Amino acid sequence: RACGFPLNLEVGEYIERFMNLMLSKDKIAEPTVVKSAACKETKFAGAEVDLGRYPVLKWHKNDGAPFITMAMVVTQDPKLGRNIGIYRVSVMNKNTLTVLTNANQDIGIHVSSARARGLSSIPCAIVVGAEPAVYMAACTKVDLKEDELKFASHFTNGKSIEIVKCESNDIHVPASSEIVIEGDLQLNETVQEGPMSEWHGYHEEVMRTLVMNVKCITQRKKPVFITTVAGHEHAEEEVMHVIQQQGSMNRQCKQRITGFVRAGCPQAG
């Protein structure tokens, strides 16, 4: 309901509606830049930065670290544009995070592009908490150069998503954010991350991930730290994006396969 969908439809009907949204250019608007927002009410920079202020949990006893499970990671590329997606983020210490940047994900493509330009780091912002339309879009596999924050206006009846500039870099984030963590993603510095309990109900293997050095945190005066349990096919994080994933798959099939009607993928994978 918060994203404009009627209640009590069958899963297939939601998938059909979502696929049609992805194929449509109606009721869509570019994000609107605003000068200030509630997520700027409190600011921590330099030595004031302390990720320990937030209830970041170690969800399962075999997890390798506490994980921020509802983190929307924002990066910007001069040719590819902005990307905002939900990626694995773990807390190393008071001012250091890890960010999973798989090569086949949009964020991984941004990283590869930056390395090809000879960069050793790129600006990065991590958003915790925002209006539902932004989370819906961040869970969606849109085209590489398509802006998720523009796509999010599908879920606000065409109303533009307001965005605001970060304090320490030129990235823009949703003005509705609860908490914004700003820093630099180190392209040549990796650490061991994991294991982490994943959607299939098992722990994923230990891997090497990039380090993010946190420079600044802004937040509302009394922010709500959005989080969810991970590690089960029926966990909230899986329910949250099952419609988007299948809608995206159906959209790509419809564009490529003559006579395509519908495809389904059970939530268990």
Side-chain angles (χ1 to χ4, degrees):
R1 178 182 292 174
C3 293
F5 290 96
L7 299 177
N8 302 319
L9 298 183
E10 296 293 329
V11 171
E13 294 177 285
Y14 284 117
I15 292 170
E16 184 81 14
R17 285 171 177 262
F18 203 91
M19 178 191 69
N20 290 333
L21 277 182
M22 297 191 76
L23 293 169
S24 171
K25 299 301 179 185
D26 296 334
K27 292 186 177 180
I28 192 167
E30 295 284 350
T32 300
V33 178
V34 296
K35 292 184 177 180
S36 62
C39 61
K40 302 282 190 180
E41 290 174 340
T42 304
K43 302 175 184 179
F44 305 103
E48 296 177 318
V49 169
D50 185 1
L51 295 165
R53 289 189 176 90
Y54 308 105
V56 186
L57 302 181
K58 187 175 180 181
W59 292 94
H60 302 277
K61 67 178 182 179
N62 292 327
D63 284 356
F67 285 89
I68 304 176
T69 53
M70 291 287 278
M72 294 187 286
V73 183
V74 190
T75 53
Q76 187 85 25
D77 184 89
K79 292 184 178 180
L80 303 175
R82 175 170 45 227
N83 177 63
I84 176 168
I86 298 180
Y87 303 104
R88 264 167 57 171
V89 174
S90 72
V91 176
M92 292 180 63
N93 54 48
K94 64 180 292 186
N95 60 2
T96 312
L97 299 166
T98 70
V99 180
L100 185 61
T101 58
N102 285 337
N104 62 333
Q105 297 279 9
D106 289 355
I107 190 172
I109 297 171
H110 278 208
V111 166
S112 296
S113 172
R115 284 173 172 158
R117 300 196 310 274
L119 300 180
S120 60
S121 66
I122 57 173
C124 184
I126 295 175
V127 173
V128 181
E131 58 191 292
V134 174
Y135 270 106
M136 284 284 285
C139 289
T140 304
K141 187 66 175 177
V142 301
D143 292 333
L144 178 59
K145 294 184 179 181
E146 188 174 356
D147 184 1
E148 287 86 356
L149 294 180
K150 180 179 179 180
F151 181 76
S153 63
H154 273 305
F155 312 116
T156 59
N157 200 31
K159 181 182 176 183
S160 176
I161 301 296
E162 292 187 342
I163 57 176
V164 65
K165 183 180 173 297
C166 286
E167 295 293 306
S168 62
N169 58 48
D170 292 330
I171 289 176
H172 287 77
V173 296
S176 61
S177 301
E178 296 284 334
I179 302 164
V180 180
I181 304 169
E182 305 175 14
D184 293 325
L185 196 58
Q186 304 301 314
L187 305 184
N188 301 320
E189 183 180 355
T190 64
V191 295
Q192 180 174 296
E193 185 255 30
M196 181 190 177
S197 51
E198 278 284 8
W199 63 271
H200 38 60
Y202 297 92
H203 277 83
E204 199 162 60
E205 71 275 9
V206 172
M207 59 186 73
R208 305 293 298 184
T209 56
L210 297 185
V211 169
M212 177 178 168
N213 296 327
V214 180
K215 300 166 68 175
C216 177
I217 301 176
T218 69
Q219 62 174 52
R220 295 171 182 259
K221 287 182 179 178
K222 295 183 178 181
V224 176
F225 187 85
I226 306 295
T227 191
T228 181
V229 68
H232 192 278
E233 66 183 78
H234 298 300
E236 290 173 325
E237 64 162 2
E238 301 311 316
V239 174
M240 187 176 71
H241 67 222
V242 65
I243 301 298
Q244 295 95 310
Q245 287 188 340
Q246 296 194 58
S248 176
M249 179 184 69
N250 276 261
R251 187 262 306 202
Q252 294 181 57
C253 289
K254 193 174 185 68
Q255 290 173 327
R256 293 166 171 80
I257 303 172
T258 301
F260 173 81
V261 178
R262 180 184 291 177
C265 179
Q267 193 171 327

